[in-house]
Amino acid sequence: MSLPSDFLWGFATAAYQIEGAVEQDGRAPTIWDTFCNRPGKIADGSSGTTACDSYNRTADDIALLKSLGATAYRFSLSWTRIIPLGGRNDPVNQPGLDHYVRFVHDLLAAGITPFVTLLHWDVPDELDKRYGGLLDKTEFGLDFEHYARVCFRAMPEVKHWATFNEPWCSAVLGYNVGQFAPGRTSDRAKSSEGDGTTEPWIAAHTLLVAHGRAVKSYRDEFKAAAQGEIGIVLNGDAVFPWDPADPRDVEACERKIEFAISWFADPIYKGDYPESMKRQLGSRLPAFTPEEAALVHGSNDFYGMNHYTANYVKNRPGTPDPEDVAGHLDVLFYNKRGFCIGEETQSPWLRPCAAGFRDLMVWISKRYNYPKIYITENGTSVKGENDLPMEKILDDDFRVRYYNDYVRAMATTVSLDGVDVRGYFAWSLMDNFEWAEGYETRFGVCYVDYDNGQKRFPKKSARFLGPLFDKLIRKEGQ
C-alpha cells in the first residue's frame, strides 16, 4: 500500500469561509454576504465578515502550512475582490488581484503548490441582481469566462486550476432547498422567489457551460505556456443498498450517484446527461446545443473529488415528486437489518465510512475511463466539538481516526484497484465559517479562537497527517 513519489497533499479552504475583510481593498458583496444578512438563514446569525481574517494573515497561513509539512494548498479566489461587480465590462480591482498574485508567489517560495478554485459558491451579488446569476446561461457564461481569463493571465505560475466547487450544492441547495445562497426555493415560507422544479437544472446547466467556456479559454490561450491543468470539483457520497437482495435498491444506488455526480461528470466525460435523469425529469432537464456539448465534452484535465460520507439507499415506489432532486429514493443511515453506516458527527449529513470511499473511487474510475483524480476535499466534524474546552478540542482523536481510515483506503485503492489519485486535500486547514451552520460546526485540523483575534492552534489531526503521508508516499528510486 503506497502512493506515487510525486503525490501532493495538503489542506483546502474557501475564500468566503476564511478571508473576512469583506469591505477591504475594494471587495464588493457576494450572494453569500447578502444571504447572511437575511434573518434566520445562518444557524448562529453569523456571517463571513471577519471569519478567520485570512485575507490579512496570508503569511501566518503559509507558515502554518509549512509547519504541518503540506506540499500543496487548495484555496479559492473571491471573484468580487478581482472584479467587484463581476461583469465582463466592469472594472478590474487591481489591489484585490495583486493580493492573490502575491499569495501565489509566496506559496511557491515556501515550496507549497497552489491549487486554485475560481468560484467556491460566492457569485458576485451584482450579477445575481443584474440578470439572475446562474439562471442566465449566456450572460453568466460570458462573465465567468472573462473573470477566469483575468486570473489565468495574472497568475501563470499556477499549474492547477478548478473552475467550480461542487456545482451540485450551488444548484440544489441554492435553487431547490433554499439552504444556501441565493436561497431560492418553491417553499414560500423560506423564500418569496424560486421554482425548485426547474431552477436547479437550469443553474447546473449554466455552470457546466461556463466551465466549458473557461476551460476552452485556458487551453486556447494559456495552457501551452503555463504547462498547467484545469478541471471541475464534484461532490458525491458513497452508497450501499438498503436491502442488497432487492434489485430495486441496488438500481437506486446507481441512480443516486448519477443524480449527484453523473449529472455533471457524464456531460464532461460522455457528452450528455445520464438517461436516468432524462427519464425522470423530461423537458425540465435542459438539452445541450451542439455548441454547448462541444464546449463541455472533454473539458476536464483531472477529476476533482470531494467526499465525506456514505448512505444506505432505498428505492421509493410511486411517481417522483416534481421537487425531487435525488432520483426518487430514500437516503438512510441504517439498512434493512438495522446496521448503522457510521458514527454520528456534528454534521447531520455526515457519518464516517471509509469502505464507501474506496468503492466510490473505483465507481468513478470505471465509469470515466480511469481519469486522473485529486481528492480535493475530505474530512469530518466532531460531535459536540464546539462545546468543549480548547484543550479537549485540540485532542481530536475522532478526526485522527477518520483521516487514518480514509487516507489508507485511498492508498489501498491506488495500489490494488488501479485508481489514479495524484493528490489529497484535507478539509479544512482551520475551523471556519461553515455556511448555513455558521461557526457552530468545526471542520479544521487547526482550532481558531474566534474570541481572541482568530489565533490558530494545531489539533492532533494537524500533526498526524504529515507522518502518515511520509509513510505512504514512495521515496524517489523506490
Side-chain angles (χ1 to χ4, degrees):
M1 184 173 66
S2 64
L3 297 167
S5 59
D6 59 352
F7 191 90
L8 293 169
W9 77 273
F11 304 94
T13 60
Y16 190 72
Q17 292 181 270
I18 68 164
E19 283 187 348
V22 296
E23 295 181 350
Q24 193 171 329
D25 293 341
R27 179 191 180 276
T30 72
I31 57 173
W32 270 96
D33 294 278
T34 301
F35 187 69
C36 290
N37 286 331
R38 291 163 58 184
K41 297 302 179 185
I42 309 301
D44 55 6
S46 65
S47 71
T49 298
T50 304
C52 307
D53 195 32
S54 279
Y55 182 78
N56 295 305
R57 294 168 175 263
T58 54
D60 294 345
D61 289 350
I62 292 172
L64 183 60
L65 288 161
K66 191 81 173 164
S67 73
L68 299 178
T71 58
Y73 181 46
R74 178 184 172 234
F75 63 98
S76 75
L77 309 177
S78 173
W79 187 341
T80 63
R81 290 198 193 280
I82 295 169
I83 306 175
L85 300 180
R88 57 197 180 277
N89 297 313
D90 296 319
V92 171
N93 177 42
Q94 201 61 43
L97 184 59
D98 289 346
H99 167 82
Y100 291 118
V101 171
R102 284 194 303 272
F103 186 46
V104 164
H105 177 269
D106 292 347
L107 282 167
L108 289 166
I112 298 167
T113 300
F115 276 65
V116 181
T117 305
L118 289 165
L119 187 66
H120 194 124
W121 304 346
D122 47 347
V123 172
D125 192 56
E126 172 63 22
L127 300 189
D128 197 57
K129 289 182 167 68
R130 191 178 286 178
Y131 53 72
L134 300 183
L135 298 180
D136 191 318
K137 175 181 63 179
T138 301
E139 289 299 310
F140 183 85
L142 291 169
D143 285 344
F144 181 74
E145 179 186 355
H146 171 71
Y147 159 63
R149 189 180 285 113
V150 168
C151 298
F152 299 150
R153 185 178 297 116
M155 292 172 264
E157 302 91 349
V158 173
K159 308 297 184 191
H160 311 276
W161 293 96
T163 51
F164 298 110
N165 178 77
E166 298 185 346
W168 183 96
C169 292
S170 295
V172 171
L173 301 181
Y175 292 86
N176 174 273
V177 181
Q179 183 184 359
F180 279 9
R184 296 175 67 89
T185 174
S186 298
D187 185 347
R188 290 295 165 258
K190 292 183 178 179
S191 174
S192 61
E193 296 180 312
D195 180 355
T197 70
T198 59
E199 290 185 0
W201 319 112
I202 294 168
H205 197 80
T206 295
L207 288 165
L208 277 166
V209 175
H211 160 79
R213 282 187 171 280
V215 170
K216 185 176 190 305
S217 171
Y218 184 71
R219 289 175 173 171
D220 288 352
E221 301 174 45
F222 304 98
K223 183 172 181 172
Q227 291 295 295
E229 58 183 357
I230 189 167
I232 196 169
V233 170
L234 305 179
N235 60 298
D237 304 334
V239 293
F240 299 94
W242 182 76
D243 179 1
D246 189 337
R248 292 168 299 184
D249 290 352
V250 174
E251 195 276 331
C253 283
E254 193 84 355
R255 203 162 64 246
K256 168 70 166 64
I257 305 179
E258 289 178 345
F259 267 71
I261 291 175
S262 303
W263 180 6
F264 302 95
D266 269 21
I268 290 171
Y269 288 98
K270 292 176 173 291
D272 203 359
Y273 292 118
E275 289 301 319
S276 60
M277 297 185 74
K278 292 181 181 179
R279 282 194 301 271
Q280 178 171 319
L281 300 171
S283 62
R284 289 185 289 135
L285 186 67
F288 289 99
T289 66
E291 294 78 15
E292 291 169 355
L295 277 172
V296 174
H297 190 202
S299 58
N300 256 7
D301 295 332
F302 64 85
Y303 183 107
M305 180 180 178
N306 286 4
H307 177 77
Y308 292 87
T309 190
N311 293 107
Y312 293 113
V313 173
K314 190 177 191 297
N315 182 64
R316 187 181 290 174
T319 304
D321 187 312
E323 295 280 339
D324 177 72
V325 290
H328 192 51
L329 45 85
D330 294 316
V331 176
L332 307 163
F333 284 129
Y334 289 84
N335 68 7
K336 183 180 180 179
R337 299 176 65 187
F339 292 140
C340 182
I341 207 147
E343 297 174 75
E344 278 189 275
T345 68
Q346 183 64 23
S347 308
W349 53 271
L350 198 169
R351 296 198 178 205
C353 179
F357 185 33
R358 180 179 176 183
D359 286 354
L360 188 59
M361 283 187 281
V362 171
W363 189 96
I364 289 167
S365 294
K366 286 181 176 178
R367 188 174 181 102
Y368 302 120
N369 195 27
Y370 291 85
K372 179 196 300 186
I373 295 173
Y374 292 104
I375 307 303
T376 36
E377 288 180 27
N378 179 234
T380 189
S381 58
V382 179
K383 189 167 180 61
E385 185 177 31
N386 196 44
D387 300 322
L388 297 172
M390 189 177 93
E391 62 270 17
K392 296 263 187 169
I393 292 177
L394 298 181
D395 196 26
D396 60 341
D397 285 321
F398 183 90
R399 189 173 283 110
V400 168
R401 290 197 304 274
Y402 180 99
Y403 282 128
N404 185 61
D405 292 347
Y406 273 74
V407 171
R408 288 182 182 279
M410 175 185 67
T412 299
T413 202
V414 169
S415 297
L416 300 183
D417 303 319
V419 174
D420 185 14
V421 184
R422 304 291 186 91
Y424 175 95
F425 296 88
W427 183 271
S428 174
L429 175 62
M430 64 191 98
D431 299 329
N432 54 53
F433 176 72
E434 188 50 39
W435 306 110
E437 295 176 44
Y439 296 96
E440 293 180 356
T441 301
R442 294 175 179 266
F443 269 86
V445 299
C446 295
Y447 171 80
V448 175
D449 190 345
Y450 302 117
D451 297 325
N452 293 288
Q454 281 72 32
K455 292 179 183 174
R456 292 92 154 104
F457 299 89
K459 303 175 188 176
K460 185 184 287 187
S461 58
R463 304 291 187 197
F464 171 78
L465 283 167
L468 176 61
F469 278 106
D470 191 52
K471 287 179 193 170
L472 292 173
I473 296 173
R474 289 193 298 271
K475 306 300 185 284
E476 288 287 353
Q478 283 187 336

